[in-house]
Amino acid sequence: MSGLTDLIYGGSNAVAGLTEGAVNDAIATYGEDAPIAFPDTAYFFPTIYAATGVKVTKLGDLLACVGVLKSLITNKEDLGDALNAGLATAVGAEILEGLKFIGGATPYENEGGIGFVPDKIIRSLGVPLVTGDIPGVAVVIGTADDPATLAAVVKDYQSKGILTFLVGGVVDQVPAAGVKVGLDFRVVPLGHDVTAVTHVVTVAIRAALIFGNIQPGALPDLLAYTKERVPAFVNAFGALDAVTVSAGAGAIALGFPVITDQDLGDLQIAGALESVTDLDLTAAKSLELRNIKVKTKSLPIPLGCASAFEGEIIRKADTYAEFSSDKNPVFELVVMRDPSEITDHKIIIDGPEMAGEGMLEMALATYVEVSGTKMQSDFEPVIERKIHYWFNFLEGIMHTGQRNLIRIRISNEARNMGFELKHFAEVLYAMIMDDFSEVVDKCQITLITDPEKARALMENEALPRYTERDSRIDNMTDESVDKYYTCILCQSFAPAHCCVVTPERLGLCGAVSWLDAKATKELTPLGACQPIDKIGLLDERLGIYTEVNKKVDEASHGNVHQVTLYSIMEDPMTSCGCFECICGVMPEANGVVVVNREYVGMTPTGMTFGELASMTGGGVQTPGFMGHGRHFIGSQKFLYAEGGPERIVWMPKELKDDVAVRLNKTVQKLTGIENFTDMICDETIATDSEAVLAFLEQVGHPALALDPIM
Ligand code: SF4
Ligand code: ZN
């Protein structure tokens, strides 16, 4: 064992020395008061903040951190001590990386890596991680002797949907070997220096702060969280130097096993540090050590099909065929049928196949008929919306939109691999029979490319059905149903969190509507969504039900005893961390600001989205702050207890435009005010509090006349 601890201490001491020198140099140049921060985070130097509670904001703050770091390196033979020295290396790496950003520098601009991962990306990873859509996180570090085998390992992860971070020489080797990289492909180059590993370490650490409600300074809780809830592992390629080994010790301390391609002989630690010299076995061993199970489907198609391809953009120049509602009748419809009307796995292509040279522009009706004893017409749109994801999972194919507002592009690459239209049908069939096996017994798929026939079906069947569904959903209110649903999907990251999903209030991630929750209950009876009988109304204005409280108490394991459905001030619903929007009170305006995750600028509360978001999360109730879905904004139940959506005084312009039609309609209905969104301030008008107030007074914003919000 002593060989290993010697290596770890050698690396930790080297990093400590480098860190101390770099901090002293930076102070000599810029002074102790020079501000220092990573970009787009509310968590300071996240490792230091989470482990010690210290908020690093200026260079001088780092002096004490260097002291703590050095105290972690005892140079004692004990393995636990050596792992602590690994944590010291993580802290040192964070400081060395942080120093690169001094004075607002953009060190990663031309690096070939992204460097620091902003908070909002971590928040956006919440849902795919809990659904298993991203089943794990791989950290691939070093420089491989054989780039082709390295690429095969990374491609394997990509095909399984695993999110892979690259650090070191692999940053260049992986794309050079033909693997598509970028966040959209779930292969994320961080940087060339070993210290860039800090940028994935802080992802795990911020996950604990954002979703886990881990208190800054509670190091044992932090380590337990990362070990139990962040399904990460490390693959180290190439010769190991002392610094890499001590960084690996840091990873092991966080609970992430390290698999190296070097033969470590008896230096191995079972389950934590293992050698796999045959790279064909690296991925399997890594998944096994982290107990990551990947559902793979083998489909009769010539393309890769994996969630990792979801974000792929196909440019016009690379397009072989385009199906666009702007130019041709293109739509998607799922309908429920009587079993006698359809034949299982029947695939009909009605009209011309794709043929000849691109770029083809064609019509496409994707018409899916399903039957099943437990099928309900409510599930039609739930299945239909998934078509977007399934088509996007295909390598070389892009899908945007839904219903009759769709654009699909098939790339030349996909065509060259042998893609034909019937493969769309095969994917749909396989996915529906798998994901919806509880409710769908038979499924028949018709793809119509004949423009006249497609148009006729759209006009005669699809459009009337969309309209009928919309009016059904519009008429569906919290009063019109007798059940709400819990959703606890996010508990794998936010163990105390529970969403209450009602027809008018969707889950805060924006991905779970009341119908989705209802379908989830049918599909997985003992799963994340359970019904709440709407009984025991205690307060209509706040939305308090004894039964809701009881179910939330159970679902949150006794952490939350009372929630209101409609208030931000009194026992508001908890947030996990992956919310689409954050709503926060702006007391001086007697209203609230609502900010979406995509907005990076400042808000009139003096906080960015990230800073507002950090006020709540981890399944705790924080009066005055509430995470929610975009769609909730236009609901008449939004802030119902505080006077309704007319409390909104500020939103980013993009969000305001996105929700305008529905929000204006709702406010018009509630108050008679026309075009309410014209009264809501945005960043193009003002972001500082005084100017926002002046604007609100000028337009006579209704919030100014409401009862005091706090
Ligand atoms: Fe998570 Fe709530 Fe969305 Fe369910 S509804 S996935 S618990 S945010
Ligand atoms: Zn969540």
Side-chain angles (χ1 to χ4, degrees):
M1 185 64 74
S2 84
L4 183 63
T5 50
D6 285 353
L7 263 179
I8 294 172
Y9 285 123
S12 305
N13 284 309
V15 170
L18 274 178
T19 309
E20 185 166 32
V23 169
N24 289 334
D25 286 353
I27 289 175
T29 312
Y30 301 98
E32 286 198 15
D33 292 327
I36 184 145
F38 286 106
D40 303 319
T41 180
Y43 300 96
F44 312 95
F45 277 44
T47 313
I48 294 172
Y49 180 55
T52 67
V54 173
K55 299 174 177 176
V56 172
T57 58
K58 53 187 195 333
L59 277 178
D61 298 335
L62 293 173
L63 289 168
C65 301
V66 171
V68 173
L69 177 168
K70 283 165 53 182
S71 73
L72 281 169
I73 311 173
T74 61
N75 294 311
K76 285 190 195 143
E77 185 58 19
D78 179 70
L79 181 64
D81 273 40
L83 294 183
N84 276 338
L87 289 177
T89 298
V91 172
E94 177 167 278
I95 294 174
L96 289 168
E97 285 291 314
L99 288 172
K100 294 182 179 174
F101 291 87
I102 193 157
T106 51
Y108 278 95
E109 211 161 61
N110 300 308
E111 238 288 274
I114 69 159
F116 192 76
V117 180
D119 290 357
K120 63 173 179 186
I121 292 181
I122 300 173
R123 292 179 184 279
S124 71
L125 295 173
V127 169
L129 279 162
V130 298
T131 54
D133 185 21
I134 298 179
V137 178
V139 184
V140 174
I141 185 165
T143 303
D145 298 335
D146 174 12
T149 332
L150 163 75
V153 173
V154 174
K155 270 211 121 158
D156 188 14
Y157 291 147
Q158 192 175 44
S159 73
K160 294 183 162 80
I162 285 174
L163 179 62
T164 304
F165 290 98
L166 307 176
V167 178
V170 294
V171 163
D172 301 318
Q173 289 183 313
V174 168
V179 181
K180 295 171 184 164
V181 303
L183 191 61
D184 287 345
F185 293 104
R186 300 215 180 139
V187 180
V188 187
L190 289 174
H192 292 88
D193 295 343
V194 181
T195 47
V197 75
T198 201
H199 300 307
V200 54
V201 170
T202 76
V203 169
I205 284 175
R206 280 177 287 159
L209 296 170
I210 290 174
F211 301 108
N213 193 31
I214 299 299
Q215 297 306 308
L219 183 61
D221 293 351
L222 175 74
L223 297 180
Y225 184 93
T226 53
K227 184 178 167 64
E228 285 161 21
R229 301 193 182 266
V230 181
F233 56 85
V234 180
N235 287 171
F237 288 96
L240 294 167
D241 58 36
V243 172
T244 309
V245 172
S246 73
I252 295 168
L254 290 164
F256 308 153
V258 177
I259 295 91
T260 162
D261 64 347
Q262 307 294 300
D263 187 355
L264 293 183
D266 56 10
L267 292 185
Q268 295 182 70
I269 308 167
L273 176 63
E274 299 206 12
S275 294
V276 177
T277 50
D278 178 354
L279 298 195
D280 291 341
L281 305 174
T282 300
K285 184 73 190 175
S286 302
L287 300 188
E288 179 198 316
L289 286 184
R290 219 57 245 261
N291 197 19
I292 296 170
K293 304 223 166 38
V294 179
K295 258 188 14 184
T296 45
K297 300 182 176 100
S298 73
L299 300 170
I301 58 166
L303 303 181
C305 177
S307 51
F309 297 115
E310 191 182 332
E312 202 177 7
I313 308 277
I314 312 290
R315 286 191 302 267
K316 202 165 181 176
D318 303 325
T319 302
Y320 171 72
E322 181 178 82
F323 308 86
S324 167
S325 302
D326 287 344
K327 298 171 186 155
N328 284 297
V330 178
F331 68 93
E332 288 159 0
L333 184 67
V334 173
V335 292
M336 183 172 94
R337 289 273 179 253
D338 190 85
S340 63
E341 293 173 292
I342 58 174
T343 308
D344 188 39
H345 206 164
K346 183 168 175 188
I347 290 172
I348 305 155
I349 310 283
D350 191 353
E353 251 291 351
M354 298 183 292
E357 294 299 307
M359 171 184 152
L360 312 178
E361 292 186 338
M362 297 173 65
L364 182 65
T366 305
Y367 187 58
V368 179
E369 295 164 283
V370 295
S371 68
T373 41
K374 287 204 222 151
M375 181 65 199
Q376 302 178 21
S377 58
D378 273 353
F379 303 154
E380 291 170 349
V382 176
I383 301 175
E384 198 176 287
R385 265 194 303 132
K386 297 278 280 190
I387 297 176
H388 163 73
Y389 296 95
W390 294 327
F391 280 10
N392 256 339
F393 287 173
L394 297 169
E395 189 178 6
I397 286 170
M398 180 178 86
H399 183 290
T400 59
Q402 54 169 321
R403 291 187 170 180
N404 61 329
L405 295 170
I406 284 172
R407 188 167 65 181
I408 306 169
R409 281 183 172 169
I410 296 174
S411 67
N412 287 313
E413 185 196 4
R415 179 63 172 175
N416 291 338
M417 286 195 268
F419 187 81
E420 292 173 33
L421 281 176
K422 68 167 189 234
H423 297 127
F424 272 149
E426 290 291 3
V427 169
L428 287 176
Y429 179 79
M431 294 297 195
I432 289 172
M433 296 313 276
D434 195 14
D435 286 11
F436 293 91
S437 57
E438 284 287 324
V439 293
V440 175
D441 303 333
K442 285 166 89 177
C443 171
Q444 170 173 316
I445 293 159
T446 311
L447 300 177
I448 305 171
T449 56
D450 178 314
E452 293 317 313
K453 285 187 186 164
R455 186 179 307 284
L457 186 67
M458 180 163 84
E459 282 168 5
N460 298 332
E461 181 159 11
L463 296 181
R465 276 186 184 262
Y466 299 151
T467 312
E468 180 195 307
R469 270 186 211 160
D470 282 345
S471 68
R472 217 176 98 61
I473 290 170
D474 276 353
N475 291 331
M476 204 186 282
T477 60
D478 288 2
E479 288 73 34
S480 72
V481 298
D482 61 2
K483 278 184 181 56
Y484 300 147
Y485 289 89
T486 55
C487 181
I488 56 163
L489 208 52
C490 283
Q491 283 196 356
S492 41
F493 287 99
H497 173 70
C498 168
C499 276
V500 179
V501 181
T502 76
E504 292 179 83
R505 180 170 191 169
L506 79 172
L508 55 84
C509 56
V512 179
S513 69
W514 185 84
L515 281 181
D516 294 317
K518 185 177 172 204
T520 302
K521 168 69 186 158
E522 284 300 321
L523 296 170
T524 39
L526 298 174
C529 296
Q530 294 300 321
I532 306 173
D533 287 322
K534 221 181 73 183
I535 49 178
L537 178 67
L538 293 182
D539 188 313
E540 193 265 357
R541 182 180 67 94
L542 293 163
I544 308 178
Y545 291 84
T546 52
E547 191 65 13
V548 169
N549 288 337
K550 186 169 149 235
K551 288 285 157 64
V552 169
D553 194 329
E554 279 167 26
S556 71
H557 316 288
N559 281 289
V560 180
H561 311 303
Q562 169 143 319
V563 290
T564 62
L565 301 180
Y566 309 132
S567 174
I568 188 177
M569 299 307 297
E570 293 182 51
D571 302 322
M573 226 181 266
T574 62
S575 298
C576 43
C578 66
F579 37 84
E580 286 188 299
C581 300
I582 178 88
C583 175
V585 170
M586 182 177 168
E588 67 272 34
N590 203 28
V592 299
V593 302
V594 179
V595 191
N596 54 306
R597 201 159 58 200
E598 296 79 11
Y599 177 72
V600 294
M602 190 41 77
T603 77
T605 58
M607 293 188 263
T608 59
F609 170 85
E611 288 161 341
L612 278 165
S614 73
M615 303 297 292
T616 183
V620 292
Q621 294 177 302
T622 322
F625 297 93
M626 183 176 78
H628 58 83
R630 272 185 184 238
H631 195 71
F632 188 40
I633 300 170
S635 157
Q636 55 182 357
K637 293 297 188 331
F638 186 73
L639 301 191
Y640 181 72
E642 282 83 28
E646 63 264 39
R647 281 283 186 189
I648 305 173
V649 295
W650 194 93
M651 283 200 268
K653 180 139 192 348
E654 182 269 322
L655 180 64
K656 190 163 87 170
D657 291 346
D658 184 45
V659 300
V661 173
R662 208 167 146 254
L663 177 59
N664 285 336
K665 205 169 138 193
T666 303
V667 173
Q668 202 279 335
K669 194 169 128 198
L670 293 173
T671 66
I673 296 170
E674 300 279 352
N675 296 323
F676 171 61
T677 47
D678 292 348
M679 297 177 155
I680 301 177
C681 197
D682 65 47
E683 78 280 12
T684 67
I685 304 167
T687 52
D688 77 283
S689 169
E690 272 181 33
V692 171
L693 282 178
F695 171 83
L696 299 176
E697 274 170 27
Q698 185 202 325
V699 297
H701 193 290
L704 300 175
L706 292 174
D707 289 342
I709 192 164
M710 31 190 333

